[in-house]
Structure formats: C-alpha cells, structure tokens
Amino acid sequence: MAEATPAGTVTGPAALHWSTCPAGSDAPRGTYCSTIKVPLDHTKPKGRQINLTLSIAGALDAPRTLVVNPGGPGQSGIGTAKLVWSSLPEDVGAQYNVVSFDPRGVGASTPVSCGDTKKLIKHPAVPYTPATEAQEQARRTVAGKIAEQCQANSKDLLPYITTANAARDMDRIRTAFHQDKLDYLGYSYGTKLGATYATLFPSHTGRMILDSVVDPTVTTYASQYEQDPALQHRAEQFFAWVAKKDSTYHLGTSAAKVSAAWNTVRKQLDAHPAGGRAGSAELDDLLASVMYLDIQWGDVAKAVSDYRRGDARDLLGATDQLAFGGVDPAQLAYNCVDDAWPRDWATLHKETAAAAPKSPLFAWLNTWYSAPCAFWKAPTAPPVKIGAAKVPPILLLQAKDDPATPLVGAQHMRQVLAGSRLVVAGGGNHGQYLFDNNPCMDKHGSHYLLTGHLPTADTTCPATPAP
C-alpha cells in the first residue's frame, strides 16, 4: 500500500500545514505533524488557547479520515497514525487517511508536568502489599508528594485535563478536516473518549470502533476494583501456560506450583533484592506489564527461571525498563479529575484490603498506582453520562479475559449504546483490531470501516492461539 507524502495545507475551517513532527516525540520516521489551537476551557472558546499536535498517515485527499486514540489515558498518540494505517487492509487504507494526536496535557500538546518524580521513588521500592503500617505510610507519603508536585507544576492546566474536554478537542479535529462526521477507532481508555464524543456530538459521530472497552457505568476509582480480579485471573492463566512448558522454565508442573514458585521468588527478592534494586514490587510491576499481551509471557517466565538458577540479568533488565520512568503525569491528571475520588485514606485502605484476598497480586498495586488522586487538589469535573438516544450504533470489540478492561465493561457499554454490536473474542489480549493477528476480529472491523454495516447481532470470535 503506497503512502502519499503529506505536503502543504489542507483547506477547511481551520487550515492545517503538515511538516516534520516535534523533536523528542514518539512519531516514527516519515510521519508528518500539524498543530491546531483549542480552548483550554471550552466554555470560553475565545479564552486561553493550548496546542493540540496531530499526525497523519495516508493520502491527504483520501475520501475519509479515521481519528485514532491508543488509550492511556495520557498516552502519546502521534506515533499511532502510521502504525494503524500501515496495518489496515489495502482496500480500507485506500478509503482512509489516519490521524492520531497527543491529547491535551500529553507530550507535544501543551503537556502537564509533575516535575521530577523519579527522586521520590527509591528502588527496591517498598512492597506493594504493606506488611506494616510504616510501609503503608511510606507509600502514602510518596503519593501525597506526587500530587503536590503536579499541582505546583501544572496548577493552571489540571482542572481542564478531562475526557470531556479531550472529546471536544476531537470535534475541533473534525472541523479542521472539514468532515461532517468523525470516524474513530479507540483502544482501551480511547473507548471512553470515543463514547464520550458520541454522547456529546451524536449528530457528528460517524463509523466508530471501540476496542477493549472501558466500563461506562462506574467511576475511574471503582474501575480499579473491576480490574483487580480480572488481572488475578489473567495471572492464573499465565501460571497455567508456564506449567505446560515446565521442561523449558522449570517453575512447576501445575498453575498452583508455578504460583507458589512465583511467591517464593517475591519473598526472596524482598529479603535480598536482585542487584540491590529489584524487590517484590519491581517483580509485581513486571508481571502486571505482561498481563496485557500473552506474546510477552515467555520473556518474563525465562527471566524468573534464570533468576532461580542464579542469573538475574534478564530480570534486572526487564524491571529496570519499568521501574525508573517516574509517574505518568498526564494519566494521573485524567484519572484524578474525570471523577471524584475518596479523599480519606481510610476508605481506600478498607476497600483495597477487602479486594486483596481475591486479588493478592494486584489489589494493592492498583491502588498505589493511582493513590495520588486521593491527595489531588484540582477540582473534579462533572462526569458525562455516556449514552443517549441519538447516539448512532457503534462496533464494540472485546477479548473475553482482557484484564485491563474486563468484559463486564463492554457488556455495560453495549447496554448504554442502544443498537450497537459487541464482538467478543476468546483469550485475553488487550487490543484486538489489527494488533492481535485475529482474522475474525480484523474482518469485523475492516468490513464495518468499509461499509458502515454492523453485524446483524452480537457475535463471537475464536481466540488467537497462545504463544
């Protein structure tokens, strides 16, 4: 599929000029970017303006424009356009150019900052599951300091870093391309963004795919308690997969034995951190990171297996990549402002402690990940109740055992978006269309983008074979 080189200006209500992408962005070579202005506060359209950086792949004169969001919230998107467009079947790519963007607060689009958070987190980190009150207090202190630094560095931006405002920004993208309707593909958090857009702008909603669907009926705070058991279930599937390959990894011949071996390694790392910097928290981070895609399972199993044999190099290399990046300020900004969070720590402690017996590997990890929201100073925004009678039918794609966006969320989204269709694939990989090598799911997505026709009823697809 040959790509036309973007050059010059797209005419319309807001002229766009395409050139090289900002230095330091994650845009791949050959990607072109443009910047538009959007109001910081959409209730004051002529007030302070902020930058929104877009990227494009495909022909500028393609009949349709597909806007894509990769998730997060707070994930940079300007590298996504080329990735998606180059993955589309040729007939679909001929009909669309693909536009992605760094949402407000992110990367090249007037970013929020929390200052240097790396200095707040020492490694090995305090274990996620607190064994003592002192351990819990240490993590509470860090969470509070992160919230303070975010407020100090981005006080003027934080109240406006919301999904509703990001959806309003997308309508500015639509008008910039002189499109009557917005065609959209959103993954993970991008499903919340897309559904919010469809609720706010139903008459301008075109063909929309929501892939790996966020639950629209619960708050961001409550959603983590949906994730906890789903992550634990996925970990148990991982342990069962490792057990089937015991001749390779030597971690046990059953899921229970692998789980026991894993917990033994966690205790060993707490007693004697690998390399002086990788304890149980770092191993927990590593496990959580590979729950999203089973293609990474072998690397983690090998790292732990090698560690048990006395070789910690792979384990350290993998944990170092995850452990030393600091916090994601944009993700916190969206999570903490989109919904109201409990401001008393006793509530978080009580609810996390109640979740932990069924999700021992993830309940406290999930709570600490967003714990700064309990200390956030910026006011929360009135939530948008997703779903309205005028929202057109939408295609929902979901993996049955997705740990990050559990199936119940897709089922609830199907209920609030009347007339939509839900396609559920086996397996648990997060992100189905184009990126799971699932021909059945890809067929449904591509057919819809080409024709605008949804399946006649909800349906299922087989799982992609495990690695």
Side-chain angles (χ1 to χ4, degrees):
M1 188 161 50
E3 179 175 7
T5 301
T9 300
V10 178
T11 58
L16 297 175
H17 181 80
W18 299 96
S19 60
T20 56
C21 292
S25 71
D26 69 350
R29 185 177 180 181
T31 300
Y32 291 82
C33 287
S34 184
T35 299
I36 64 173
K37 298 287 187 180
V38 297
L40 175 65
D41 181 352
H42 278 275
T43 68
K44 301 176 181 177
K46 295 184 178 180
R48 179 183 171 185
Q49 305 292 297
I50 59 174
N51 292 330
L52 202 69
T53 298
L54 322 176
S55 67
I56 193 168
L60 286 179
D61 59 354
R64 306 181 76 103
T65 293
L66 181 67
V67 176
V68 180
N69 180 273
Q75 186 172 336
S76 174
I78 60 176
T80 307
K82 193 175 185 70
L83 179 63
V84 167
W85 186 83
S86 63
S87 301
L88 290 171
E90 187 169 356
D91 54 350
V92 181
Q95 292 298 309
Y96 289 87
N97 55 48
V98 178
V99 170
S100 57
F101 61 104
D102 279 3
R104 60 170 54 212
V106 179
S109 294
T110 310
V112 297
S113 171
C114 291
D116 182 6
T117 57
K118 297 179 186 178
K119 64 183 180 182
L120 299 177
I121 305 172
K122 309 298 182 183
H123 294 280
V126 175
Y128 281 117
T129 302
T132 65
E133 186 175 340
Q135 288 183 347
E136 185 171 347
Q137 181 59 52
R139 281 196 169 271
R140 286 176 58 186
T141 298
V142 169
K145 288 181 178 178
I146 289 171
E148 289 176 5
Q149 289 190 188
C150 295
Q151 179 75 3
N153 283 272
S154 298
K155 180 179 180 180
D156 58 334
L157 295 176
L158 294 181
Y160 305 100
I161 306 302
T162 69
T163 299
N165 280 331
R168 296 180 181 107
D169 293 344
M170 287 206 304
D171 205 53
R172 294 298 185 101
I173 296 174
R174 178 189 64 79
T175 60
F177 278 82
H178 212 179
Q179 298 283 345
D180 181 57
K181 294 184 181 295
L182 181 86
D183 295 330
Y184 178 81
L185 168 62
Y187 295 94
S188 192
Y189 161 80
T191 65
K192 178 179 179 179
L193 178 58
T196 300
Y197 179 89
T199 300
L200 294 176
F201 302 99
S203 65
H204 291 303
T205 299
R207 299 172 188 176
M208 180 173 285
I209 298 177
L210 305 183
D211 187 320
S212 306
V213 185
V214 170
D215 192 334
T217 66
V218 300
T219 65
T220 304
Y221 169 70
S223 70
Q224 68 187 5
Y225 297 107
E226 285 186 351
Q227 282 184 333
D228 292 342
L231 283 162
Q232 188 72 32
H233 177 64
R234 192 62 172 154
E236 290 163 0
Q237 292 180 327
F238 166 65
F239 293 150
W241 179 88
V242 173
K244 291 179 180 179
K245 298 178 180 294
D246 185 59
S247 60
T248 300
Y249 302 118
H250 311 291
L251 292 173
T253 56
S254 69
K257 290 180 179 178
V258 175
S259 177
W262 195 272
N263 282 320
T264 296
V265 170
R266 293 175 76 243
K267 292 176 182 177
Q268 291 172 342
L269 289 171
D270 273 340
H272 303 286
R277 62 187 186 276
S280 67
E282 286 73 20
L283 182 64
D284 291 346
D285 283 335
L286 181 59
L287 180 64
S289 74
V290 300
M291 293 298 92
Y292 289 66
L293 297 171
D294 58 19
I295 195 172
Q296 301 169 310
W297 285 1
D299 293 336
V300 174
K302 180 180 182 301
V304 173
S305 177
D306 287 351
Y307 167 79
R308 279 165 53 92
R309 293 188 298 104
D311 182 356
R313 289 176 297 179
D314 285 353
L315 178 62
L316 287 171
T319 56
D320 285 351
Q321 290 182 26
L322 292 169
F324 296 101
V327 303
D328 184 336
Q331 185 164 63
L332 280 177
Y334 279 97
N335 282 343
C336 299
V337 176
D338 263 353
D339 299 296
W341 284 69
R343 299 300 186 188
D344 61 307
W345 186 257
T347 297
L348 277 81
H349 177 97
K350 179 181 177 180
E351 295 189 358
T352 305
K358 292 184 178 179
S359 309
L361 289 171
F362 299 102
W364 281 101
L365 179 152
N366 234 0
T367 289
W368 292 123
Y369 194 75
S370 297
C373 293
F375 304 95
W376 211 250
K377 302 301 182 184
T380 55
V384 173
K385 184 179 180 181
I386 290 174
K390 294 182 179 180
V391 175
I394 287 168
L395 179 61
L396 311 176
L397 304 179
Q398 177 71 31
K400 180 176 72 70
D401 294 319
D402 188 326
T405 53
L407 175 60
V408 65
Q411 293 169 334
H412 288 163
M413 187 71 81
R414 171 68 177 84
Q415 291 170 1
V416 302
L417 298 180
S420 296
R421 294 291 181 263
L422 173 60
V423 184
V424 178
N429 284 339
H430 186 65
Q432 289 292 305
Y433 182 55
L434 303 177
F435 300 119
D436 193 37
N437 296 316
N438 189 319
C440 177
M441 297 295 268
D442 289 349
K443 180 180 178 181
H444 280 291
S446 295
H447 177 75
Y448 174 65
L449 288 178
L450 274 177
T451 67
H453 296 154
L454 292 166
T456 55
D458 294 345
T459 188
T460 60
C461 285
T464 302

